[in-house]
Amino acid sequence: MRDIRAAAAGLYASGDTFALATVIDTDKSAPRGPGAAMAVGADGEVVGSISGGCVEGAVYEEALEVIRTGVPVRRTYGVSDEEAFSVGLTCGGTLHVFVEPVSRAGFPELGEVLGAVEEHRPVAVATVVSDPSGAGRLGRRRVVWPNRATGDVGAAGDRLADALDDDVRGMLAQGSTGLLRYGADGQRRGDALEVFVQSFAPAPRMLVFGAIDFAAAVADLGSFLGYRVTVCDARPVFATPKRFPTADEVVVKWPHVFLDEIADDIDERTAVCVLTHDPKFDVPVLKAALATRAGYIGAMGSRRTHEDRLERLREAGVAEGELARLHSPIGLDLGARTPEETAVSIAAELVQSRWGGSGRALRETSGRIHLDARPGSSRPDSATPSGEPEPAHH
């Protein structure tokens, strides 16, 4: 829902009931992951996408029916279903979609949730999407904040609510979105009840050091990939918002000083891109970056610059184990030359580092195209168990 929050806020403010369709689970090479959303207004207006066009038509009809009846539904679209075949889900994957009515009365916290997302404050929404017991819990929601929770999930006593609060906060801390399963009465050992948790953690940070033309291109792609981008340079004549219009902030400070100031806010989702290739800037900031939990640390420069930089970092006391975390020279080998092409190579390495892809051309690999939705996944070089590679969907 993050991508359609502005439109959802408008529909919510209108006071009319609208339908929200959300991907809650996927199998194989599904086109979009859990959390992808599409909203349908009472007047039939559509915003967002859940499949890139494959199943939107069918989901649209479901949404209109949900608005009419006020009853949420869960639907599955996949190549093995006749219905899915008729709507054209040809990517070889399966989408599990939950379509629910949304109104001020039924979801009084939505305005606050959308505000938190806009202001980069963490919040998660847990929705019961499957309840075979028929206890009337389907569509019930609980909104979980780091220090409070609201909403009635309708379980006997507070057992499910207590379990959800703990489990959802764990997912929120990791920025994870997905399904949780519980017993009929909220027991953790069981799978009769399914709850979809959508975490709205603050966007991951990208820290770009060095206010050069390459930095502008990297900031553009970082913003496009969903990072909250900061460009930092000690030279005020170069570090200006006008030169970096897509950056969320431009900071005029020595890079290592700024990094030390924000070190506690850096986590495993943070990407650090050092583009200065000047020892007086990059050695201090890289030493500071390698002491943080940043998930990606890259530095620009030639191979000669890289070797010189490593020696300087060793002299500064950086251990070999920390140096092994450094992506230098930064980016994948694409033959890039221009700032924009170089930014693409850096973005490609960021994606590869996050999801564990091989970095090779897809035509040279076999097996699943889309890896499991978790960091550290890897693609086997062998074919799938059936012996046939799975189809791609781009």
Side-chain angles (χ1 to χ4, degrees):
M1 188 167 60
R2 186 190 297 273
D3 293 344
I4 63 168
R5 63 184 183 275
L11 290 169
Y12 188 70
S14 73
D16 295 330
T17 297
F18 67 95
L20 181 66
T22 306
V23 177
I24 59 172
D25 199 11
T26 65
D27 297 314
K28 299 182 180 178
S29 297
R32 298 199 67 190
M38 182 178 88
V40 178
D43 60 356
E45 177 188 5
V46 179
V47 292
S49 171
I50 59 171
S51 71
C54 297
V55 304
E56 268 73 1
V59 174
Y60 176 76
E61 297 300 328
E62 293 284 1
L64 293 179
E65 183 67 9
V66 163
I67 293 173
R68 186 185 69 81
T69 64
V71 179
V73 297
R74 174 179 175 154
R75 294 288 182 260
T76 298
Y77 302 95
V79 293
S80 61
D81 300 333
E82 292 182 6
E83 181 182 20
F85 182 78
S86 71
V87 297
L89 186 59
T90 58
C91 66
T94 302
L95 288 175
H96 303 272
V97 180
F98 189 69
V99 189
E100 57 187 319
V102 177
S103 66
R104 290 183 179 182
F107 196 170
E109 304 94 342
L110 180 58
E112 190 178 5
V113 169
L114 294 173
V117 175
E118 188 68 28
E119 297 167 8
H120 306 291
R121 291 184 286 113
V123 64
V125 179
T127 307
V128 178
V129 296
S130 179
D131 181 18
S133 71
R137 293 177 291 201
L138 187 68
R140 295 283 190 100
R141 305 180 190 89
R142 191 160 177 84
V143 179
V144 180
W145 312 79
N147 58 355
R148 61 189 173 95
T150 61
D152 178 14
V153 286
D158 296 323
R159 187 171 188 172
L160 178 58
D162 289 344
L164 272 176
D165 291 354
D166 288 342
D167 296 343
V168 171
R169 286 194 177 105
M171 294 179 69
L172 183 58
Q174 297 295 322
S176 301
T177 287
L179 286 172
L180 294 174
R181 294 177 172 85
Y182 299 92
D185 294 321
Q187 310 96 315
R188 280 195 169 92
R189 298 186 67 177
D191 58 7
L193 196 68
E194 287 187 317
V195 180
F196 176 68
V197 178
Q198 186 159 17
S199 294
F200 299 102
R205 298 195 69 171
M206 174 183 281
L207 306 173
V208 182
F209 295 103
I212 61 176
D213 49 357
F214 288 88
V218 171
D220 289 346
L221 272 184
S223 179
F224 179 75
L225 290 175
Y227 286 92
R228 183 160 57 96
V229 180
T230 298
V231 175
C232 176
D233 196 294
R235 303 165 296 177
V237 68
F238 296 112
T240 65
K242 184 176 181 180
R243 295 190 67 224
F244 302 97
T246 59
D248 294 279
E249 63 176 344
V250 179
V251 176
V252 181
K253 281 186 179 178
W254 278 80
H256 69 284
V257 172
F258 174 67
L259 194 60
D260 284 340
E261 290 176 352
I262 64 168
D264 291 342
D265 298 327
I266 293 175
D267 61 20
E268 290 80 2
R269 302 183 303 150
T270 302
V272 177
C273 301
V274 178
L275 311 182
T276 52
H277 53 78
D278 182 335
K280 69 176 178 291
F281 288 111
D282 61 15
V283 170
V285 75
L286 284 171
K287 180 181 179 181
L290 290 168
T292 70
R293 296 179 296 151
Y296 176 91
I297 303 170
M300 177 180 282
S302 66
R303 298 193 188 280
R304 179 179 297 178
T305 298
H306 168 66
E307 293 301 327
D308 177 71
R309 181 188 292 132
L310 290 180
E311 286 305 313
R312 291 173 183 269
L313 287 168
R314 291 187 182 103
E315 292 172 3
V318 180
E320 293 298 326
E322 293 302 307
L323 292 177
R325 298 173 55 204
L326 181 59
H327 295 262
S328 176
I330 196 170
L332 295 185
D333 181 14
L334 305 182
R337 293 178 180 272
T338 68
E340 293 75 18
E341 290 173 345
T342 301
V344 169
S345 82
I346 294 171
E349 187 174 51
L350 277 169
V351 174
Q352 187 269 340
S353 178
R354 179 180 183 186
W355 298 114
S358 68
R360 297 159 54 196
L362 285 172
R363 66 181 180 179
E364 297 175 358
T365 66
S366 58
R368 295 181 61 174
I369 298 297
H370 301 289
L371 304 179
D372 292 339
R374 64 180 188 275
S377 300
S378 58
R379 177 184 291 108
D381 287 331
S382 59
T384 56
S386 66
E388 295 294 329
E390 297 178 6
H393 188 292
H394 296 288

